[in-house]
Amino acid sequence: MRISISKACVALALLCMAPATGFAEEKSYVCAINEVYECVTITGCSRVSLADANVAGIMVLDIEKKQLRSAPLGGEPRADDIEGLIATDKAILIYGTGKRESDRTVSAIISLETGKLTAGISTLDSSLSLLGNCQPNPN
């Protein structure tokens, strides 16, 4: 009986030490932005198009390179380095400041349970709220 309990404890310990397979271990994700809202003083918030917000509808998040690649509608593809990227067991958190535009901040969170994406871009004049979904990149 004592040996069976010991074997069970060893098996449980090995199981706990083994990395969990799942969404968080992926090296990159494809994210689609479904909705964009712009908030400004006095007039408040309103839904805007991706083109009006100058936001790409599809983005690729590369976890290993800490990079976000996108191609805005009618624009040139670009890759931006991510200053901060934290992966927990429930979410991937991204934050930083715009490299090209030094007067903006960016933050985002991706749920590892549902793939839901919420992001925000703040500038001196307005704030954009982005809503979308992400999934592991098949490439």
Side-chain angles (χ1 to χ4, degrees), residues 6-17:
S6 294
K7 285 182 182 177
C9 289
V10 169
L12 184 60
L14 289 174
L15 189 63
C16 291
M17 289 183 349

Side-chain angles (χ1 to χ4, degrees), residues 64-131:
E64 286 185 324
K65 294 180 181 178
K66 286 185 152 182
Q67 198 172 61
L68 188 64
R69 293 187 306 273
S70 64
L73 299 172
E76 292 294 317
R78 63 188 226 191
D80 291 307
D81 293 332
I82 298 169
E83 289 177 48
L85 188 144
I86 299 169
T88 69
D89 58 340
K90 293 186 178 185
I92 297 172
L93 302 111
I94 302 164
Y95 58 90
T97 56
K99 298 290 186 204
R100 290 184 177 94
E101 302 88 5
S102 61
D103 58 349
R104 67 174 18 183
T105 63
V106 178
S107 64
I109 186 167
I110 301 167
S111 168
L112 295 177
E113 295 173 359
T114 64
K116 298 264 186 227
L117 163 74
T118 57
I121 301 170
S122 297
T123 69
L124 297 171
D125 301 324
S126 67
S127 175
L128 294 175
S129 179
L130 311 167
L131 304 172

Side-chain angles (χ1 to χ4, degrees), residues 30-46:
V30 176
C31 299
I33 306 301
N34 302 324
E35 298 178 58
V36 180
Y37 296 89
E38 181 180 33
C39 299
V40 293
T41 55
I42 301 175
T43 59
C45 301
S46 60

